[in-house]
Amino acid sequence: METSKKNTPIGTLYVGGIPYEIAKMKRGILLYDFQVILKFLQAKGQERFGNNFQILPDDHRILYALVNYFIQDEASCKKLDLNIKKGILLTGPVGSGKTALMSLMRDLVPHRKSYEIIPARNLVFAFSHLAHKVIEDYGNGGFYCFDDLGVEPMGRYYGRDCNVMGEILISRYELFKKYHKPTHITTNLNAQELEERYGSRVRSRMREMFNLLSFSAQATDKRK
């Protein structure tokens, strides 16, 4: 899995030169060790975000689901009511660690095609300069995780308003239906708030496109 290390065993990832054997090959099948994965993610998180980064026991439920989804363990995902063909819609309070976890999931499966994490507000700002090219570029291709959906302003181009992210999601729904390309999202909004922000048409499509994973409303604010 770690191509930069010579003779690295399959299932071993490195952080700062320290190996983490997150999976072992048995009878041609990679068997993952969730406890080792937690240690790897903790170390990788501190390397990327600083020594204050912590994976808390309350995070383990969400992480277990995310890990099984991203390693594409179909049997475990079925038990967790996750569809491996859909994307992830990760919701939770401000500071619960949504963006950090979605970033770390890319490190867990470096052998798979990665996704780019893009703040939703950046696309709205780009819309004011590039108009519908932004919707075409991000709605019709690529692999993305749209971060902080729902806090972005309304887009405006030459005096005309546009719900930029709503339009992008509708386009990506077509991408999902035709080509099975998933999209991922992080948001602070709940289902009702998403519908109020983007309308029932977008919300209906989101139900088809995403697996919903939610932090508790009482999740610790890790930014404090």
Side-chain angles (χ1 to χ4, degrees), residues 116-177:
E116 185 178 356
I117 299 177
I118 302 179
R121 66 180 181 276
N122 288 7
L123 299 184
V124 175
F125 295 152
F127 179 84
S128 66
H129 300 287
L130 302 173
H132 286 81
K133 186 177 187 302
V134 173
I135 296 172
E136 292 172 5
D137 288 349
Y138 291 93
N140 297 331
F143 292 89
Y144 301 109
C145 174
F146 298 125
D147 191 34
D148 270 345
L149 183 77
V151 299
E152 76 280 359
M154 184 69 71
R156 174 164 285 200
Y157 186 74
Y158 282 98
R160 299 186 67 178
D161 289 340
C162 177
N163 191 326
V164 177
M165 291 309 303
E167 293 298 326
I168 288 175
L169 288 173
I170 287 173
S171 294
R172 293 198 68 84
Y173 171 78
E174 299 302 324
L175 197 66
F176 169 70
K177 295 294 285 185

Side-chain angles (χ1 to χ4, degrees), residues 7 9 36 58 62 91 97 136-137 158 164 167 181-182 185 192 198 210 223:
N7 299 322
V36 178
D58 287 348
I62 289 284
T91 73
E136 292 172 5
D137 288 349
Y158 282 98
V164 177
E167 293 298 326
K181 279 192 176 183
I185 283 175
Q192 182 177 346
Y198 299 103
F210 298 106
R223 297 176 185 173

Side-chain angles (χ1 to χ4, degrees), residues 7-195:
N7 299 322
T8 298
I10 293 174
T12 299
L13 298 175
Y14 285 79
V15 180
I18 299 174
Y20 292 83
E21 191 178 15
I22 65 169
K24 295 180 180 179
M25 184 70 75
K26 291 186 178 180
R27 299 176 183 175
I29 299 174
L30 269 178
L31 299 179
Y32 286 83
D33 187 325
F34 183 62
Q35 295 306 315
V36 178
I37 288 173
L38 287 176
K39 293 176 182 178
F40 165 75
L41 294 174
Q42 174 69 40
K44 193 68 179 179
Q46 290 189 339
E47 178 186 69
R48 178 166 300 158
F49 304 113
N51 291 332
N52 290 331
F53 177 85
Q54 293 291 328
I55 290 176
L56 304 177
D58 287 348
D59 299 331
H60 290 187
R61 175 186 61 85
I62 289 284
L63 269 171
Y64 185 73
L66 286 173
V67 165
N68 278 286
Y69 171 84
F70 280 103
I71 66 174
Q72 297 284 277
D73 186 329
E74 291 191 47
S76 295
C77 282
K78 189 173 182 179
K79 292 178 183 178
L80 294 165
D81 198 25
L82 296 175
N83 185 329
I84 62 173
K85 294 182 180 180
K86 294 183 178 183
I88 293 292
L89 173 59
L90 185 58
T91 73
V94 172
S96 53
K98 302 180 295 296
T99 307
L101 293 188
M102 290 302 291
S103 175
L104 290 173
M105 288 302 106
R106 299 182 298 185
D107 298 295
L108 182 64
V109 286
H111 57 297
R112 297 189 187 279
K113 186 172 179 62
S114 189
Y115 49 86
E116 185 178 356
I117 299 177
I118 302 179
R121 66 180 181 276
N122 288 7
L123 299 184
V124 175
F125 295 152
F127 179 84
S128 66
H129 300 287
L130 302 173
H132 286 81
K133 186 177 187 302
V134 173
I135 296 172
E136 292 172 5
D137 288 349
Y138 291 93
N140 297 331
F143 292 89
Y144 301 109
C145 174
F146 298 125
D147 191 34
D148 270 345
L149 183 77
V151 299
E152 76 280 359
M154 184 69 71
R156 174 164 285 200
Y157 186 74
Y158 282 98
R160 299 186 67 178
D161 289 340
C162 177
N163 191 326
V164 177
M165 291 309 303
E167 293 298 326
I168 288 175
L169 288 173
I170 287 173
S171 294
R172 293 198 68 84
Y173 171 78
E174 299 302 324
L175 197 66
F176 169 70
K177 295 294 285 185
K178 289 181 180 179
Y179 304 108
H180 309 294
K181 279 192 176 183
T183 304
H184 306 307
I185 283 175
T186 73
T187 181
N188 303 330
L189 305 186
N190 59 34
Q192 182 177 346
E193 290 168 332
L194 285 169
E195 184 163 337

